[in-house]
Amino acid sequence: MRIGELAARAGTTTRTLRYYESRGLLPARRGDNGYRTYDEDDLRLLRQIRTLQDFGFDLEETRPFVECLRAGHPEGDSCPASLVVYRRKLAELDTLIEQLTSVRAQVAAQLARAEAAVPGGPEPKCELGGHA
Amino acid sequence: MRIGELAARAGTTTRTLRYYESRGLLPARRGDNGYRTYDEDDLRLLRQIRTLQDFGFDLEETRPFVECLRAGHPEGDSCPASLVVYRRKLAELDTLIEQLTSVRAQVAAQLARAEAAVPGGPEPKCELGGHA
DNA sequence: TCTTGCCCTGACGTCGGCGTCAAGGCCTAC
DNA sequence: GTAGGCCTTGACGCCGACGTCAGGGCAAGA
């Protein structure tokens, strides 16, 4: 399979695949004409990368998973190094969610305060002095 | 007050202030020698910007707040345009937190599954075949 | 006067993950 | 043989919010 087909089957672009190769993440064999050649295993690696990317993992963070698969393990997370990344990511997510939740609360409080000070926004019908 | 002092009092850098000016967000008067000159009002504007930035607002999103203050209002969020930004930001935060929470759950599930398949990680003491 | 410290403008660097264009090679169908 | 579609490498563009450096001006104290 050539680069275009692999990209299409993984729902990505040839540019992305060349980028992964430049990062050493998904090297390719070459045919006689210099074209990159991939097989079904490469598709599995690529899908592993894409899944993690969709989860917000940095490209570097997907490396242990890819190497795990390449080492012959059944899943990308069948190796300790992958679990370490999982746990680190969970901690990052927890911290981030916590921060965002805090910010959300503060913004909501500011909004409530400002709306109270400047009415007419959420409640166009104001009972003060409306004689018409 | 000159740019260095303003930066110091707001806990930021001169580069940042020049950047804000280049974006038209915080223009400065100039002294005879060409030096930027600021007053206490500018410090208030700058602190408004910084507060929102800390909340994760884009620089452009702080503009209504700054213009509101510059228009003479007591608070940056005393204007309808600022409230619109607040509400939009709240919606963005809700969406983002929801997504992150979903991802967190999926990652946690993957971790649990992988740990079950490959023990020895979290529980170094395994009761299987440990006769020593 | 000379040094020190602040100021000025202009412009390139950073980071991640690619998009996009340029110039050309390979292969197939017509 | 030629048009079209795939492939190749190389390299610049993008986004946001600045960091950092280069080269030079202005002001004040020793």
Side-chain angles (χ1 to χ4, degrees), chain A residues 13 15-16 19-20 35 50 53 59:
Chain A
T13 67
R15 178 68 183 90
T16 296
Y19 177 65
Y20 289 172
Y35 287 11
R50 291 268 102 193
Q53 287 268 83
L59 207 49

Side-chain angles (χ1 to χ4, degrees), chain A:
Chain A
M1 164 173 36
R2 292 181 306 184
I3 196 172
E5 185 182 345
L6 179 62
R9 289 180 65 184
T12 184
T13 67
T14 60
R15 178 68 183 90
T16 296
L17 298 188
R18 294 196 188 96
Y19 177 65
Y20 289 172
E21 182 174 6
S22 78
R23 304 280 84 194
L25 204 59
L26 192 66
R29 281 117 282 164
R30 298 299 180 115
D32 292 343
N33 51 13
Y35 287 11
R36 290 174 178 81
T37 303
Y38 303 91
D39 57 24
E40 296 298 323
D41 283 341
D42 291 316
L43 178 58
R44 293 185 61 228
L45 299 187
L46 180 52
R47 284 188 169 144
Q48 172 73 81
I49 296 171
R50 291 268 102 193
T51 298
L52 294 174
Q53 287 268 83
D54 289 345
F55 280 170
F57 284 54
D58 293 343
L59 207 49
E60 275 309 306
E61 292 179 320
T62 74
R63 197 179 294 274
F65 296 81
V66 174
E67 291 181 349
C68 188
L69 278 175
R70 194 173 284 125
H73 294 278
E75 305 289 340
D77 52 17
S78 301
C79 301
S82 305
L83 301 186
V84 168
V85 175
Y86 271 159
R87 296 194 191 96
R88 189 159 46 78
K89 197 46 115 181
L90 271 183
E92 286 176 12
L93 283 169
D94 287 340
T95 300
L96 185 54
I97 290 170
E98 198 175 343
Q99 287 176 355
L100 291 176
T101 301
S102 168
V103 166
R104 202 221 104 94
Q106 295 182 64
V107 172
Q110 289 293 325
L111 175 59
R113 191 192 44 67
E115 280 179 339
V118 180
E123 292 289 348
K125 297 176 182 175
C126 182
E127 57 188 347
L128 296 177
H131 71 329

